[in-house]
């Protein structure tokens, strides 16, 4: 190669390599690293009045955010939920819904606009280049990084601009309140509602759906009764109460019952168990007289009535809760006490029910 021959691209290191023009065979030409473009200062960088004006603009946006958030909170409590309002080009809508949406929207929008305007007008905008390095920085670089962060906090003006700091804190602090307040619309906490049923001590067992009292003499060996507590039809939430209180009643030969507790909680071989499957809450309504098995038709969980309704097959993991029964002076079957454990499927707070009116140990 002669001294005047152009250098090959591969011979030129890094940014000084040439660029081959597409479609030609000419040797590439060399160019110098153009570097970074000239930094153009903003008005707020050179004019204190412009910086102060930008600061007031940012603070105004945060104040508008606070007003929007307060509008949401006040509307939630003070505006009637059924009050209508006419909006041009949209039509009739509910005033509270409009105020809630606008308040929350403006609260979030102006937090974002204020942060963007702050960054665009007041925070440093010079480009900084950092060369690649090993994954773990040296101790000196780490110290430099901390110093850079501290310097960034100083140059951002957060310490020197208390108006922005105060209004931003107010906007961000207030904006979290609507989400906390909105949790109220999820409804009241369940309390012990899942753990208790309508059953109380002394309540008669009535047939479902006739709601006729059942005498012990009416229950023969092999017969099955679907049972509800007396008076359940008088409640305001009938369906919800029936979903928990449903009971299935059978009579066995006392000699077939293997569990002494089951025998004691029954009456002359008559036993009553929750009808709600402990798997996912389906009604356990299929009784096989010869084997004394109760079958859930949904997922085929099978319970042995002779052994305290323990699970002998299927996905259920717990036995059916037993309702202790007796008879009153007229020979009608009654509950000796409410269920002593929660009925139905699992839930996080499942355990012994809280005492209710009429419960005895």
């Amino acid at each position: 190669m002669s001294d005047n021959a152009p250098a090959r691209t591969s011979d030129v290191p890094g940014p000084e390599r040439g660029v081959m023009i597409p479609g030609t065979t000419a040797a590439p030409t060399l160019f110098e690293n153009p570097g970074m473009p000239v930094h153009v200062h903003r008005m707020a960088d050179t004019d204190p009045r412009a910086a102060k004006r930008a600061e007031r603009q940012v603070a105004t946006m945060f104040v508008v955010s606070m007003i929007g958030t307060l509008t949401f909170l006040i509307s939630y409590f003070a505006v009637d939920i059924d009050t209508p309002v006419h909006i041009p080009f949209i039509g009739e809508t509910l005033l509270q819904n409009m105020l809630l949406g606008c308040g929350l929207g403006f609260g979030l929008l102006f937090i974002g606009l204020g942060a963007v305007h702050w960054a665009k007008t007041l925070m440093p905008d010079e480009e900084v280049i950092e060369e690649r390095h090993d994954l773990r920085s040296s101790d000196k670089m780490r110290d430099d990084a901390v110093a850079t962060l501290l310097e960034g906090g100083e140059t951002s003006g957060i310490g020197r601009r208390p108006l922005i700091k105060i209004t931003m804190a107010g906007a961000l602090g207030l904006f979290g309140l609507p989400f906390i307040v909105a949790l109220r619309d999820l409804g009241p906490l369940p309390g012990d509602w899942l753990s208790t049923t309508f059953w109380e001590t002394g309540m008669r067992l009535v047939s479902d759906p006739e709601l006729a009292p059942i005498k012990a003499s009416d229950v023969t060996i092999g017969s099955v009764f679907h049972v509800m507590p007396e008076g359940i039809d008088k409640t305001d939430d009938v369906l919800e109460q029936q979903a928990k209180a449903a009971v299935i009643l059978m009579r066995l030969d006392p000699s077939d019952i293997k569990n002494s507790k089951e025998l004691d909680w029954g009456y002359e071989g008559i036993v009553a168990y929750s009808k709600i499957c402990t798997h996912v809450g389906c009604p356990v309504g299929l009784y096989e007289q010869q084997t004394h098995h109760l079958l859930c038709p949904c997922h085929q969980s099978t319970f042995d009535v002779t052994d305290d309704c323990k699970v002998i097959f299927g996905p259920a993991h717990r036995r059916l809760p037993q309702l202790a029964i007796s008879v009153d002076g007229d020979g009608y079957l009654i509950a000796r006490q409410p269920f002593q454990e929660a009925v139905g499927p699992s839930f996080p707070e499942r355990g012994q029910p809280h005492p209710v009116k009429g419960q005895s140990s």
Side-chain angles (χ1 to χ4, degrees), residues 274-284 296 299 301-303 309-311 313 315-321 341-347 350:
S274 170
K275 190 179 173 182
I276 312 304
C277 182
T278 56
H279 178 218
V280 292
C282 296
V284 181
C296 175
H299 304 97
S301 293
T302 306
F303 305 87
C309 270
K310 290 183 178 178
V311 182
F313 181 79
H317 291 284
R318 296 186 313 279
R319 65 178 186 84
L320 296 175
E341 59 183 295
V343 303
S346 298
F347 54 92
R350 182 182 175 90

Side-chain angles (χ1 to χ4, degrees), residues 126-295:
E126 296 183 2
E127 297 187 28
V128 180
I129 298 176
E130 183 180 5
E131 298 294 336
R132 292 180 180 270
H133 54 78
D134 294 335
L135 292 179
R136 187 194 185 283
S137 302
S138 65
D139 292 338
K140 181 179 182 306
M141 294 185 70
R142 292 188 173 196
D143 293 338
D144 291 343
V146 173
T148 301
L149 290 174
L150 295 176
E151 182 183 0
E154 178 64 26
T155 56
S156 67
I158 188 68
R160 295 180 290 105
R161 304 184 189 277
L163 181 60
I164 287 183
K165 181 167 60 177
I166 294 172
T167 53
M168 182 184 67
L172 292 175
L174 276 177
F175 189 74
L177 294 180
F179 299 97
I180 298 175
V181 171
L183 293 175
R184 179 172 175 267
D185 284 342
L186 296 178
L189 295 175
D192 64 348
W193 191 87
L194 295 174
S195 299
T196 58
T197 69
F198 190 76
W199 287 100
E200 294 181 5
T201 300
M203 276 188 170
R204 284 183 174 180
L205 281 65
V206 296
S207 59
D208 183 27
E210 296 84 3
L211 302 182
I214 303 172
K215 283 192 172 183
S217 57
D218 297 334
V219 185
T220 58
I221 292 180
S223 60
V224 176
F225 287 78
H226 299 277
V227 173
M228 288 289 173
E230 187 177 35
I232 197 170
D233 57 320
K234 304 298 192 301
T235 61
D236 295 331
D237 52 347
V238 176
L239 295 180
E240 289 84 354
Q241 294 292 350
Q242 287 180 338
K244 297 188 300 175
V247 163
I248 189 166
L249 182 78
M250 301 143 291
R251 186 167 202 157
L252 285 68
D253 187 328
S255 62
D256 292 332
I257 298 177
K258 307 170 186 176
N259 190 291
S260 58
K261 173 256 185 184
E262 177 181 9
L263 193 61
D264 293 340
W265 282 26
Y267 177 78
E268 296 182 356
I270 303 174
V271 291
Y273 283 93
S274 170
K275 190 179 173 182
I276 312 304
C277 182
T278 56
H279 178 218
V280 292
C282 296
V284 181
L286 303 178
Y287 176 62
E288 209 291 310
Q289 180 180 351
Q290 301 300 319
T291 60
H292 304 300
H293 290 168
L294 275 173
L295 176 68

Side-chain angles (χ1 to χ4, degrees), residues 85-94 98:
V85 64
H86 179 79
I87 303 178
F89 308 108
I90 295 179
E92 294 288 335
T93 186
L94 294 177
M98 183 192 70

Side-chain angles (χ1 to χ4, degrees), residues 331-344:
Y332 290 103
L333 292 171
I334 60 172
R336 285 164 45 191
Q337 59 187 11
F339 281 109
Q340 295 301 289
E341 59 183 295
V343 303

Side-chain angles (χ1 to χ4, degrees), residues 44-67:
D45 296 331
T46 58
D47 186 354
R49 290 181 301 177
K52 195 65 178 177
R53 184 168 57 249
E55 179 183 357
R56 289 195 297 266
Q57 291 169 349
V58 172
T60 300
M61 293 178 187
F62 288 151
V63 170
V64 173
S65 170
M66 289 190 284
I67 293 174

